[in-house]
Amino acid sequence: MENLPGIVITGASGRMGQMLVQTVMASDKASLVGAIERAGHPWVGMDIGEAMGGQAVGVVVTDQPLDAFAKAQAVIDFTAPAATLQFAKLAAQARAVHVIGTTGMTDEDIAKLEPCGRHAVIVRAGNMSLGVNLLTQLTKKVAAALDDDFDIEVIESHHNQKVDAPSGTALMLGEAAAEGRGVDLADVADRGRDGITGARKKGDIGFVAIRGGDIVGEHDVMFAAPGERIVLRHLASDRAVFARGALKAALWGQDKKPGEYDMLDVLGL
């Protein structure tokens, strides 16, 4: 195990954090060397295995990320934008691959990652699953093939605890559709409808966000024209698909030059 890439998981107590911990520990290609939580969190100082209700695994949860990153070859980060920007600086200092699955990042946030990418590998994606990244490519191709007689709607569903909308994946799909049409998403996105909105503007890309129960993640891209509809769909029933993709990205980045990459790079798409 000593020769395997060491992985640190940030936000270790969260839904994705725990799934990532389990995925790395179950892997024969990487080892868990760190688990990060915010200062004051009750898990800090506990063995991550015991904190998750199991047996001790020899990794203590810490609120000192730089110390943990210094021992790691990769950091997997599904937290919040402000935390991710701080982790990016520390991962760059440690020259660790930084895999970012954090959603809700603004264009300004993303721009702040650029200096970090000069010193370390950053792999950032709105969704880490193979299926969603294939869906992104299909969306771009279909949008390029159809004219604006086809209205484009991106419909996404998630659990009732998700704090951002539209989801990062929905925005990624919207960007793919806009790129296929040769337009800027910022100019055509329709992200909210309420009241007397008037007729749909031709060429817009609409977004609908559904929140309820424990939905892991469902995304549809609908192309609707008079008399016909094309619907591209991805359904995720287990967060493990995102964790496996993130681990794949962390391993892929080990021999890459510093820079910013995405899952299409990882998957060779």
Side-chain angles (χ1 to χ4, degrees), residues 133-203:
N133 283 278
L134 288 172
L135 176 62
T136 301
Q137 292 296 85
L138 289 170
T139 297
K140 180 179 176 180
K141 288 186 176 182
V142 173
L146 301 175
D147 60 27
D148 61 7
D149 285 339
F150 282 81
D151 298 323
I152 302 177
E153 293 284 317
V154 181
I155 304 104
E156 55 100 343
S157 302
H158 284 88
H159 56 86
N160 59 19
Q161 299 301 302
K162 186 168 178 59
V163 298
D164 59 307
S167 69
T169 302
L171 293 172
M172 186 169 72
L173 293 168
E175 289 282 4
E179 188 174 347
R181 280 198 167 166
V183 298
D184 188 333
L185 181 61
D187 295 333
V188 298
D190 185 354
R191 295 174 56 167
R193 301 184 184 119
D194 186 29
I196 307 301
T197 61
R200 189 186 199 281
K201 183 180 177 182
K202 190 170 185 177

Side-chain angles (χ1 to χ4, degrees), residues 1-144:
M1 296 293 287
E2 292 181 359
N3 295 324
L4 298 179
I7 311 290
V8 173
I9 306 301
T10 64
S13 73
R15 298 185 191 205
M16 271 306 304
Q18 293 189 53
M19 179 60 70
L20 287 162
V21 168
Q22 293 169 352
T23 299
V24 173
M25 288 196 301
S27 174
D28 61 0
K29 297 178 180 179
S31 62
L32 183 72
V33 298
I36 308 298
E37 261 304 339
R38 65 184 183 278
H41 192 280
W43 283 22
V44 172
M46 295 179 63
D47 184 280
I48 185 62
E50 293 177 335
M52 291 171 55
Q55 297 181 340
V57 298
V59 175
V60 175
V61 180
T62 179
D63 59 6
Q64 300 297 314
L66 184 57
D67 292 343
F69 292 5
K71 300 181 294 183
Q73 283 69 55
V75 176
I76 302 180
D77 176 17
F78 284 65
T79 54
T84 289
L85 292 177
Q86 293 302 312
F87 291 141
K89 295 175 183 177
L90 300 179
Q93 288 182 44
R95 302 300 191 265
V97 174
H98 188 191
V99 178
I100 301 174
T102 301
T103 60
M105 298 186 75
T106 64
D107 290 343
E108 183 180 358
D109 292 331
I110 293 167
K112 291 178 180 177
L113 295 173
E114 193 271 336
C116 302
R118 298 174 193 159
H119 303 287
V121 171
I122 296 174
V123 182
R124 186 185 66 83
N127 193 298
M128 296 285 174
S129 85
L130 171 60
V132 161
N133 283 278
L134 288 172
L135 176 62
T136 301
Q137 292 296 85
L138 289 170
T139 297
K140 180 179 176 180
K141 288 186 176 182
V142 173

Side-chain angles (χ1 to χ4, degrees), residues 237-254:
S237 58
D238 189 340
R239 286 182 180 81
V241 301
F242 311 128
R244 289 194 295 267
L247 177 56
K248 182 180 180 72
L251 297 174
W252 175 87
Q254 292 304 305

